[in-house]
Amino acid sequence: MASSRAERAAFLKQLKGAYTWYTGGFIVFVLVLAVLEQMGLTRQWIGYIFLLGTVGLYAGIGIMSRTSEASEYYVAGRRVPAMFNGMATGADWMSAASFIGMAGTLYLTGYGGLAFILGWTGGYVLVALFLAPYLRKFGQFTIPDFLGERYGGNTARFIGILCAVLCSFVYVVAQIYGVGLITTRLTGVSFELGVFLGLGGILVCSFLGGMKAVTWTQVAQYIILIIAYLVPVVYLSSKVTGVPVPQLMYGQVLEKIAAFEETLKVPLAARHASAFLANDGSVNMTAAINYFALIFCLMLGTASLPHILMRYFTTPSVRQARESVGWSIFFIFLLYFTAPAYAAFAKFEVYQNLIGQQVAQLPGWVASWGKIGLVGACDAANAAAQYALCKGVTGNGDGILQLAEFRLHTDAVVLATPEIAGLPYVISGLVAAGGLAAALSTADGLLLAIANALSHDIYYRMVDPKADTRRRLIVSRVLLLVVAVIAAYVSGTLGADILFLVSWAFSIAASGLFAGLVLGIWWKRTNTAGGLAGLIFGFGACMFFLVTTEFYGPWLKGMLGDAVTIVKIRGRDVAYIWGINNISVGIFGIPAAFLAQIIVTWFTRPAPQAMQDFIDSIRVPAGNVRLVSAEHAVKE
């Protein structure tokens, strides 16, 4: 035991030293590029260097972490210290939606956008209290592993696989879209080519080393993304307020924004200070219901995402799994605490330096971001020909940009803020590299979760239980490649609204997995019939309402009458049931899962004593896990 502790301490010291040198080296790399920019290095070359430099770094870590051992490939050998697992989880979590879309959503919706922050961070409280330590004590490789053990075999395992693969695939499509968007901006290549260039960066991190490679790559990616996120907004805070602490100073900027909006006669409901108010000052109950429904779905979805829960299988002990959740929240907090400040300073710069300016003299970033459909200056009658976002907007043609004539996509706020603020282009490249790190890190985790579910839970557990390690890893790598190519094709051909797709993924995960996991751990009586009922009804209800509200709105209205409102979104007649936005369809699936599992359990026999002993054993931090399948017994 003493030697094991000494080895862990030495390993932790080695990691801290390596990543300290890495952080210093990256800062020097950015400073050198800044000097080269002043000496005449072109923007295109800066973009190429950031792309090739960072992806090359991740590839190097992936190659050095290659492994042929199953425990290394699936759970990083269970050697990841709590702090570094928290950092890797932060990167795994900090997707393109968080890095690119969060500040943009707050920019456009104000306090209404805080639902995402409250839901996502609140979900980690549920992970810490109800799931992470107990799944780590369980000691296997995947979430379907637990469901199969807890609910008696392959039927529950298969439903868990179906739900895990679907929510992860929807999520990864959004990440690959973000990768393509950033790669296009950095290099100037077409979006479709950017998607597949970024795909190479994703695969080199996970193909050879699995979870081991992904973990150490994600630690490196977190360092890059948090530096990239903080630098522009710290600069803006210093420039506007004189204090380089944006998280504390953006209240002053909000006051200035309020003054601008009053002068510009922005409607009350559109102002950032009114999440639930209508233009006449009354409370908009539909907006309030949607706000809390979204928080509910995001919280429970966070606590159910397979690629996040997998991270807690990698720690050396149950105690470190608990500590890891705390570190995860801290590292995520650094970005989320900054996102509102980012939105405020970006909006202030737009109001101060863009609105009311001559359209012919707008800065170059407006046209460059307009070319890829993320910015629109819609004063002229034919503006839609130049800016895709101007479609349907009628400008007054007076040559001056009005607030109603300016369009900024949520995905552009973070990426374009350095140019909006007039910062050197190397900072724009840094932010793009940070966004790329966020998208790559999450895509790595998601693809690995999908490949592991297919290779470990279907192939090894259900098809060929006698397969040796070599064959299992080959199958996993082949499936990883196939899933990645399919996801890249879907993203490149269909495009995506990042936050929209991500929100769907959370509802799917929460509806299909949360009740089964939480009741499986905390209610010993629940049995196979109840568990299967919860999985099937929760997942089924969510998918039914997701598909019908999105694609068959008029039909659903014919079935439910006045309970359904039809809204024109994404080119379709989307149905809102009782006014609830369909990104929150988990509001129907989650209760269905709990009710089905509780009712069926009460009307059937309790779980056998051996299963109840298994649950008791995973609730106790020390000691052995008494698995019902004795051949899979795990020792701490």
Side-chain angles (χ1 to χ4, degrees), residues 441-461:
S441 61
T442 304
D444 279 330
L446 289 163
L447 287 173
L448 196 61
I450 295 171
N452 287 356
L454 296 176
S455 65
H456 175 75
D457 292 301
I458 288 185
Y459 177 72
Y460 177 59
R461 293 294 197 199

PDB file of all heavy atoms in Angstrom, residues 441-461:
ATOM      1  N   SER A 441     -11.810  17.954 -28.110  1.00  0.00           N
ATOM      2  CA  SER A 441     -11.787  17.194 -26.857  1.00  0.00           C
ATOM      3  C   SER A 441     -13.122  16.497 -26.619  1.00  0.00           C
ATOM      4  O   SER A 441     -13.162  15.321 -26.235  1.00  0.00           O
ATOM      5  CB  SER A 441     -11.441  18.107 -25.684  1.00  0.00           C
ATOM      6  OG  SER A 441     -12.402  19.139 -25.539  1.00  0.00           O
ATOM      7  N   THR A 442     -14.217  17.212 -26.849  1.00  0.00           N
ATOM      8  CA  THR A 442     -15.531  16.598 -26.648  1.00  0.00           C
ATOM      9  C   THR A 442     -15.816  15.542 -27.704  1.00  0.00           C
ATOM     10  O   THR A 442     -16.354  14.471 -27.402  1.00  0.00           O
ATOM     11  CB  THR A 442     -16.627  17.674 -26.670  1.00  0.00           C
ATOM     12  OG1 THR A 442     -16.328  18.658 -25.682  1.00  0.00           O
ATOM     13  CG2 THR A 442     -17.988  17.083 -26.389  1.00  0.00           C
ATOM     14  N   ALA A 443     -15.430  15.824 -28.955  1.00  0.00           N
ATOM     15  CA  ALA A 443     -15.643  14.843 -30.022  1.00  0.00           C
ATOM     16  C   ALA A 443     -14.863  13.563 -29.747  1.00  0.00           C
ATOM     17  O   ALA A 443     -15.364  12.456 -29.975  1.00  0.00           O
ATOM     18  CB  ALA A 443     -15.222  15.437 -31.369  1.00  0.00           C
ATOM     19  N   ASP A 444     -13.638  13.694 -29.239  1.00  0.00           N
ATOM     20  CA  ASP A 444     -12.858  12.515 -28.869  1.00  0.00           C
ATOM     21  C   ASP A 444     -13.601  11.660 -27.854  1.00  0.00           C
ATOM     22  O   ASP A 444     -13.719  10.438 -28.004  1.00  0.00           O
ATOM     23  CB  ASP A 444     -11.511  12.937 -28.265  1.00  0.00           C
ATOM     24  CG  ASP A 444     -10.485  13.302 -29.316  1.00  0.00           C
ATOM     25  OD1 ASP A 444     -10.547  12.738 -30.413  1.00  0.00           O
ATOM     26  OD2 ASP A 444      -9.629  14.153 -29.033  1.00  0.00           O
ATOM     27  N   GLY A 445     -14.075  12.311 -26.785  1.00  0.00           N
ATOM     28  CA  GLY A 445     -14.772  11.564 -25.743  1.00  0.00           C
ATOM     29  C   GLY A 445     -16.051  10.913 -26.242  1.00  0.00           C
ATOM     30  O   GLY A 445     -16.355   9.769 -25.892  1.00  0.00           O
ATOM     31  N   LEU A 446     -16.785  11.632 -27.074  1.00  0.00           N
ATOM     32  CA  LEU A 446     -18.049  11.098 -27.596  1.00  0.00           C
ATOM     33  C   LEU A 446     -17.823   9.920 -28.537  1.00  0.00           C
ATOM     34  O   LEU A 446     -18.514   8.899 -28.451  1.00  0.00           O
ATOM     35  CB  LEU A 446     -18.815  12.207 -28.312  1.00  0.00           C
ATOM     36  CG  LEU A 446     -19.408  13.286 -27.406  1.00  0.00           C
ATOM     37  CD1 LEU A 446     -19.762  14.526 -28.216  1.00  0.00           C
ATOM     38  CD2 LEU A 446     -20.640  12.769 -26.675  1.00  0.00           C
ATOM     39  N   LEU A 447     -16.868  10.066 -29.460  1.00  0.00           N
ATOM     40  CA  LEU A 447     -16.589   8.973 -30.392  1.00  0.00           C
ATOM     41  C   LEU A 447     -16.101   7.735 -29.650  1.00  0.00           C
ATOM     42  O   LEU A 447     -16.446   6.606 -29.994  1.00  0.00           O
ATOM     43  CB  LEU A 447     -15.560   9.416 -31.435  1.00  0.00           C
ATOM     44  CG  LEU A 447     -16.069  10.380 -32.503  1.00  0.00           C
ATOM     45  CD1 LEU A 447     -14.925  10.874 -33.361  1.00  0.00           C
ATOM     46  CD2 LEU A 447     -17.128   9.707 -33.382  1.00  0.00           C
ATOM     47  N   LEU A 448     -15.282   7.966 -28.618  1.00  0.00           N
ATOM     48  CA  LEU A 448     -14.801   6.830 -27.837  1.00  0.00           C
ATOM     49  C   LEU A 448     -15.949   6.165 -27.088  1.00  0.00           C
ATOM     50  O   LEU A 448     -16.007   4.935 -26.992  1.00  0.00           O
ATOM     51  CB  LEU A 448     -13.728   7.308 -26.856  1.00  0.00           C
ATOM     52  CG  LEU A 448     -12.856   6.229 -26.225  1.00  0.00           C
ATOM     53  CD1 LEU A 448     -12.080   5.475 -27.293  1.00  0.00           C
ATOM     54  CD2 LEU A 448     -11.892   6.840 -25.220  1.00  0.00           C
ATOM     55  N   ALA A 449     -16.887   6.973 -26.567  1.00  0.00           N
ATOM     56  CA  ALA A 449     -18.047   6.405 -25.879  1.00  0.00           C
ATOM     57  C   ALA A 449     -18.883   5.550 -26.828  1.00  0.00           C
ATOM     58  O   ALA A 449     -19.340   4.461 -26.469  1.00  0.00           O
ATOM     59  CB  ALA A 449     -18.903   7.524 -25.285  1.00  0.00           C
ATOM     60  N   ILE A 450     -19.065   6.037 -28.066  1.00  0.00           N
ATOM     61  CA  ILE A 450     -19.840   5.270 -29.049  1.00  0.00           C
ATOM     62  C   ILE A 450     -19.110   3.988 -29.420  1.00  0.00           C
ATOM     63  O   ILE A 450     -19.685   2.888 -29.427  1.00  0.00           O
ATOM     64  CB  ILE A 450     -20.098   6.123 -30.309  1.00  0.00           C
ATOM     65  CG1 ILE A 450     -20.981   7.320 -29.968  1.00  0.00           C
ATOM     66  CG2 ILE A 450     -20.745   5.282 -31.399  1.00  0.00           C
ATOM     67  CD1 ILE A 450     -21.104   8.327 -31.103  1.00  0.00           C
ATOM     68  N   ALA A 451     -17.817   4.110 -29.748  1.00  0.00           N
ATOM     69  CA  ALA A 451     -17.044   2.938 -30.167  1.00  0.00           C
ATOM     70  C   ALA A 451     -16.961   1.902 -29.048  1.00  0.00           C
ATOM     71  O   ALA A 451     -17.069   0.695 -29.293  1.00  0.00           O
ATOM     72  CB  ALA A 451     -15.640   3.373 -30.599  1.00  0.00           C
ATOM     73  N   ASN A 452     -16.784   2.364 -27.805  1.00  0.00           N
ATOM     74  CA  ASN A 452     -16.708   1.428 -26.682  1.00  0.00           C
ATOM     75  C   ASN A 452     -18.033   0.718 -26.451  1.00  0.00           C
ATOM     76  O   ASN A 452     -18.061  -0.472 -26.133  1.00  0.00           O
ATOM     77  CB  ASN A 452     -16.287   2.161 -25.412  1.00  0.00           C
ATOM     78  CG  ASN A 452     -14.829   2.559 -25.429  1.00  0.00           C
ATOM     79  OD1 ASN A 452     -14.092   2.230 -26.367  1.00  0.00           O
ATOM     80  ND2 ASN A 452     -14.395   3.282 -24.416  1.00  0.00           N
ATOM     81  N   ALA A 453     -19.140   1.469 -26.597  1.00  0.00           N
ATOM     82  CA  ALA A 453     -20.455   0.836 -26.436  1.00  0.00           C
ATOM     83  C   ALA A 453     -20.663  -0.252 -27.481  1.00  0.00           C
ATOM     84  O   ALA A 453     -21.180  -1.338 -27.179  1.00  0.00           O
ATOM     85  CB  ALA A 453     -21.557   1.887 -26.536  1.00  0.00           C
ATOM     86  N   LEU A 454     -20.240   0.021 -28.710  1.00  0.00           N
ATOM     87  CA  LEU A 454     -20.433  -0.955 -29.784  1.00  0.00           C
ATOM     88  C   LEU A 454     -19.470  -2.130 -29.669  1.00  0.00           C
ATOM     89  O   LEU A 454     -19.851  -3.291 -29.853  1.00  0.00           O
ATOM     90  CB  LEU A 454     -20.275  -0.271 -31.139  1.00  0.00           C
ATOM     91  CG  LEU A 454     -21.302   0.812 -31.476  1.00  0.00           C
ATOM     92  CD1 LEU A 454     -20.965   1.483 -32.799  1.00  0.00           C
ATOM     93  CD2 LEU A 454     -22.713   0.233 -31.538  1.00  0.00           C
ATOM     94  N   SER A 455     -18.187  -1.824 -29.366  1.00  0.00           N
ATOM     95  CA  SER A 455     -17.189  -2.893 -29.343  1.00  0.00           C
ATOM     96  C   SER A 455     -17.212  -3.693 -28.051  1.00  0.00           C
ATOM     97  O   SER A 455     -17.136  -4.926 -28.063  1.00  0.00           O
ATOM     98  CB  SER A 455     -15.790  -2.315 -29.556  1.00  0.00           C
ATOM     99  OG  SER A 455     -15.418  -1.474 -28.481  1.00  0.00           O
ATOM    100  N   HIS A 456     -17.311  -3.001 -26.919  1.00  0.00           N
ATOM    101  CA  HIS A 456     -17.273  -3.702 -25.627  1.00  0.00           C
ATOM    102  C   HIS A 456     -18.638  -4.282 -25.263  1.00  0.00           C
ATOM    103  O   HIS A 456     -18.744  -5.469 -24.917  1.00  0.00           O
ATOM    104  CB  HIS A 456     -16.815  -2.732 -24.538  1.00  0.00           C
ATOM    105  CG  HIS A 456     -16.859  -3.312 -23.157  1.00  0.00           C
ATOM    106  ND1 HIS A 456     -15.923  -4.225 -22.711  1.00  0.00           N
ATOM    107  CD2 HIS A 456     -17.726  -3.136 -22.117  1.00  0.00           C
ATOM    108  CE1 HIS A 456     -16.205  -4.575 -21.466  1.00  0.00           C
ATOM    109  NE2 HIS A 456     -17.292  -3.927 -21.081  1.00  0.00           N
ATOM    110  N   ASP A 457     -19.685  -3.456 -25.361  1.00  0.00           N
ATOM    111  CA  ASP A 457     -20.991  -3.893 -24.864  1.00  0.00           C
ATOM    112  C   ASP A 457     -21.750  -4.765 -25.855  1.00  0.00           C
ATOM    113  O   ASP A 457     -22.510  -5.642 -25.427  1.00  0.00           O
ATOM    114  CB  ASP A 457     -21.830  -2.669 -24.489  1.00  0.00           C
ATOM    115  CG  ASP A 457     -21.262  -1.946 -23.288  1.00  0.00           C
ATOM    116  OD1 ASP A 457     -21.140  -2.556 -22.237  1.00  0.00           O
ATOM    117  OD2 ASP A 457     -20.903  -0.758 -23.418  1.00  0.00           O
ATOM    118  N   ILE A 458     -21.582  -4.523 -27.144  1.00  0.00           N
ATOM    119  CA  ILE A 458     -22.268  -5.384 -28.115  1.00  0.00           C
ATOM    120  C   ILE A 458     -21.359  -6.537 -28.536  1.00  0.00           C
ATOM    121  O   ILE A 458     -21.702  -7.711 -28.377  1.00  0.00           O
ATOM    122  CB  ILE A 458     -22.732  -4.576 -29.343  1.00  0.00           C
ATOM    123  CG1 ILE A 458     -23.917  -3.688 -28.950  1.00  0.00           C
ATOM    124  CG2 ILE A 458     -23.139  -5.517 -30.483  1.00  0.00           C
ATOM    125  CD1 ILE A 458     -24.539  -2.941 -30.109  1.00  0.00           C
ATOM    126  N   TYR A 459     -20.173  -6.197 -29.062  1.00  0.00           N
ATOM    127  CA  TYR A 459     -19.321  -7.261 -29.616  1.00  0.00           C
ATOM    128  C   TYR A 459     -18.822  -8.201 -28.520  1.00  0.00           C
ATOM    129  O   TYR A 459     -18.993  -9.429 -28.621  1.00  0.00           O
ATOM    130  CB  TYR A 459     -18.139  -6.646 -30.371  1.00  0.00           C
ATOM    131  CG  TYR A 459     -17.184  -7.686 -30.903  1.00  0.00           C
ATOM    132  CD1 TYR A 459     -17.539  -8.490 -31.989  1.00  0.00           C
ATOM    133  CD2 TYR A 459     -15.940  -7.880 -30.307  1.00  0.00           C
ATOM    134  CE1 TYR A 459     -16.682  -9.469 -32.460  1.00  0.00           C
ATOM    135  CE2 TYR A 459     -15.069  -8.846 -30.778  1.00  0.00           C
ATOM    136  CZ  TYR A 459     -15.441  -9.642 -31.852  1.00  0.00           C
ATOM    137  OH  TYR A 459     -14.585 -10.602 -32.312  1.00  0.00           O
ATOM    138  N   TYR A 460     -18.207  -7.641 -27.466  1.00  0.00           N
ATOM    139  CA  TYR A 460     -17.575  -8.492 -26.453  1.00  0.00           C
ATOM    140  C   TYR A 460     -18.597  -9.104 -25.500  1.00  0.00           C
ATOM    141  O   TYR A 460     -18.551 -10.305 -25.226  1.00  0.00           O
ATOM    142  CB  TYR A 460     -16.541  -7.684 -25.682  1.00  0.00           C
ATOM    143  CG  TYR A 460     -15.880  -8.433 -24.555  1.00  0.00           C
ATOM    144  CD1 TYR A 460     -15.173  -9.619 -24.794  1.00  0.00           C
ATOM    145  CD2 TYR A 460     -15.961  -7.967 -23.242  1.00  0.00           C
ATOM    146  CE1 TYR A 460     -14.568 -10.306 -23.757  1.00  0.00           C
ATOM    147  CE2 TYR A 460     -15.363  -8.649 -22.203  1.00  0.00           C
ATOM    148  CZ  TYR A 460     -14.665  -9.816 -22.465  1.00  0.00           C
ATOM    149  OH  TYR A 460     -14.062 -10.497 -21.439  1.00  0.00           O
ATOM    150  N   ARG A 461     -19.522  -8.303 -24.998  1.00  0.00           N
ATOM    151  CA  ARG A 461     -20.468  -8.808 -24.005  1.00  0.00           C
ATOM    152  C   ARG A 461     -21.586  -9.657 -24.610  1.00  0.00           C
ATOM    153  O   ARG A 461     -22.096 -10.584 -23.976  1.00  0.00           O
ATOM    154  CB  ARG A 461     -21.099  -7.643 -23.243  1.00  0.00           C
ATOM    155  CG  ARG A 461     -20.147  -6.863 -22.356  1.00  0.00           C
ATOM    156  CD  ARG A 461     -19.640  -7.688 -21.213  1.00  0.00           C
ATOM    157  NE  ARG A 461     -19.055  -6.869 -20.164  1.00  0.00           N
ATOM    158  CZ  ARG A 461     -18.236  -7.314 -19.233  1.00  0.00           C
ATOM    159  NH1 ARG A 461     -17.882  -8.596 -19.233  1.00  0.00           N
ATOM    160  NH2 ARG A 461     -17.759  -6.519 -18.304  1.00  0.00           N
TER     161      ARG A 461
END
